[in-house]
Amino acid sequence: MMMMRLAGGVRRSQAALGGLQSLLRSPSCVRSTVGSTARWVTTPQQRQADCQSQKRWATVDSKQQQQQQQALQEKYERKLKQRMAKLQQPEPVYTKLVSGYQVYRHDRPFAMQLDPERPLPGFEIAYETWGELNADKSNAILLHTGLSASSHARSHADNPQPGWWEQFIGPGLALDTNKFFVVCTNPLGGCYGSTGPSSINPKRTDEAVGEDGQTPRYALDFPMLSVHDMVRAQFHLLDHLGIDTLFASVGSSLG
């Protein structure tokens, strides 16, 4: 009985081995022996088929990426067109203003924080206002400009040109002139009406007129300026207007 079982097991093993040998003789797979290590490798035909399959998938992925990029570009262009359509006002004119602003004149020496040995003999601050100051002068908003902007933040009767914050200042807007008194200055050191390097140097008015027909300017003789000096000059303007407390102080960029 035991011998019969062993014989049956041997026949089954031989049959399985024959099936495996038949499979190994197929052209899709071969046995490679390197030293004492045996490994199975694919045939050139199978590797070529796998390579072609990978290329097809890579082509599909590339097309999908291109479609996604194109969709994003079209979405960006649509949003850009929508934003541009909302901007009804033309780009403000940033050329030097010659009128349309008020001037505060400070006729006392003004020492600079970083250059105290060379105080200004006095200075002027160009400013513009919108709205009305209430009775207790508690509704004032001081608007600060960027580094190179003028005090002309919004158009008004004295200067109808659109300002650089035209869509933010006015009745019912962010800085509501029905509620607030908005003050914007050209900071000290600026070139839009306030005293700065382009201003006439009063210490040199006795010198000969230059080739341009004008008296000498401060130019490089203008003392070193700090933001602290700009703010102090604004405080003098607020004192001149009788404003002790601001409702808010807002601005863009440098402001």
Side-chain angles (χ1 to χ4, degrees), residues 187-205:
L188 183 67
C191 55
Y192 294 95
S194 295
T195 299
S198 62
S199 302
I200 295 174
N201 187 346
K203 295 181 179 180
R204 300 178 59 188
T205 53

Side-chain angles (χ1 to χ4, degrees), residues 29-178:
C29 190
V30 296
R31 185 173 185 270
S32 174
T33 303
V34 179
S36 60
T37 304
R39 59 189 179 90
W40 297 99
V41 297
T42 57
T43 63
Q45 295 86 349
Q46 188 174 5
R47 289 198 297 272
Q48 183 177 5
D50 292 342
C51 183
Q52 292 176 349
S53 176
Q54 292 175 358
K55 287 182 178 179
R56 285 195 298 271
W57 281 108
T59 302
V60 172
D61 291 342
S62 178
K63 288 182 179 179
Q64 289 178 346
Q65 291 178 355
Q66 291 177 357
Q67 292 173 353
Q68 291 175 353
Q69 291 177 353
Q70 184 176 359
L72 289 173
Q73 180 67 22
E74 292 175 352
K75 182 178 180 181
Y76 169 78
E77 290 178 355
R78 286 196 303 270
K79 288 187 175 181
L80 182 61
K81 289 180 180 179
Q82 292 173 357
R83 292 178 180 177
M84 294 299 294
K86 291 181 180 179
L87 297 177
Q88 301 292 333
Q89 298 293 337
E91 182 70 10
V93 178
Y94 293 105
T95 55
K96 186 172 181 179
L97 300 176
V98 295
S99 63
Y101 54 82
Q102 303 178 66
V103 176
Y104 161 69
R105 292 180 173 84
H106 187 81
D107 57 4
R108 298 184 300 278
F110 185 79
M112 300 294 202
Q113 181 185 31
L114 302 178
D115 201 354
E117 300 301 323
R118 294 193 299 162
L120 291 174
F123 64 83
E124 295 182 350
I125 290 293
Y127 69 99
E128 298 177 51
T129 66
W130 302 265
E132 297 292 336
L133 190 62
N134 59 16
D136 59 0
K137 300 183 179 182
S138 62
N139 68 333
I141 294 179
L142 181 60
L143 175 60
H144 304 276
T145 72
L147 181 62
S148 60
S150 70
S151 60
H152 191 60
R154 180 179 167 81
S155 58
H156 49 76
D158 294 330
N159 187 347
Q161 289 290 333
W164 48 266
W165 256 21
E166 187 76 16
Q167 296 182 333
F168 294 91
I169 306 171
L173 298 180
L175 300 184
D176 192 346
T177 52
N178 289 334

Side-chain angles (χ1 to χ4, degrees), residues 110 112-114 144 147 187-188 224-235 254-255:
F110 185 79
M112 300 294 202
Q113 181 185 31
L114 302 178
H144 304 276
L147 181 62
L188 183 67
M224 189 174 296
L225 182 68
S226 70
V227 175
H228 181 68
D229 298 322
M230 298 177 185
V231 174
R232 288 170 51 225
Q234 289 176 324
F235 283 164
L254 175 66

